[in-house]
Amino acid sequence: MTDIKAAPNRVPWPPIIYLAAIAIAIVLGLLYPLPWITEPISDLLFAAGWLAIAGFAAIEISAMRALKRGNTTIRPDKAADHLVTNGPFSFTRNPIYFGNTLLMIGIGLVSGSLWFIILALVAVFATNKLAIEREEKHLQARFGKKYIDYAKKVRRWI
């Protein structure tokens, strides 16, 4: 265990979790394809998937810029130097993880693979348990009341 004030985790869990979920979704999709919705609804889901992927890109770029402007790290295994509450952090405390989830759902809708959507939900649960809970303790230890007030105003996800 690391000192919670020094760093939230030793391992950068979120990118590992999401990359593993994507890899597993691909393998399961090839080995055990699940049934998918047929046209015309599948066409609407395909379009919604591209919108989700575009949303992922917009949220990720915006979040990275906000962290850079806030002069703090993007790495989930490093200590936060400053509390960033603007940009996408004003509507979700975890815009990058939310964006990663949107990406997985978007890929699932575009490719017609239910595995991506199922594993996106598994990734959300694992990210909550392995990363977010410790990150929240870390931010509270480093920023105290400022973080507590922020957490009361802004939801963890959306």
Side-chain angles (χ1 to χ4, degrees):
M1 282 284 174
T2 59
D3 171 27
I4 199 72
K5 195 167 184 177
N9 274 306
R10 287 188 180 155
V11 178
W13 286 113
I16 293 168
I17 291 167
Y18 281 96
L19 288 173
I22 288 169
I24 293 167
I26 291 168
V27 170
L28 288 174
L30 293 172
L31 296 177
Y32 306 104
L34 296 174
W36 190 247
I37 299 165
T38 59
E39 293 180 355
I41 294 174
S42 64
D43 295 337
L44 294 171
L45 295 176
F46 181 84
W50 281 112
L51 286 174
I53 292 169
F56 149 78
I59 291 168
E60 295 281 317
I61 290 167
S62 179
M64 288 178 198
R65 285 181 177 163
L67 290 170
K68 185 174 174 96
R69 279 191 310 271
N71 199 26
T72 196
T73 185
I74 191 172
R75 294 198 37 188
D77 59 331
K78 300 294 180 191
D81 295 316
H82 303 281
L83 182 62
V84 176
T85 61
N86 60 346
F89 292 91
S90 65
F91 67 86
T92 173
R93 296 194 311 258
N94 298 287
I96 294 173
Y97 308 154
F98 176 68
N100 294 343
T101 305
L102 262 183
L103 175 64
M104 287 195 67
I105 292 169
I107 292 170
L109 294 174
V110 168
S111 67
S113 175
L114 194 56
W115 286 116
F116 276 91
I117 296 166
I118 293 167
L119 284 159
L121 299 175
V122 171
V124 165
F125 177 78
T127 300
N128 268 328
K129 287 296 173 198
L130 293 173
I132 292 174
E133 289 176 4
R134 286 192 55 86
E135 288 174 6
E136 289 176 347
K137 289 175 185 171
H138 165 74
L139 292 168
Q140 186 171 343
R142 288 192 62 96
F143 304 110
K145 183 173 175 1
K146 186 176 178 183
Y147 177 75
I148 293 167
D149 292 344
Y150 167 67
K152 286 179 184 174
K153 290 189 299 189
V154 178
R155 295 175 65 117
R156 181 181 280 169
W157 287 92
I158 55 169

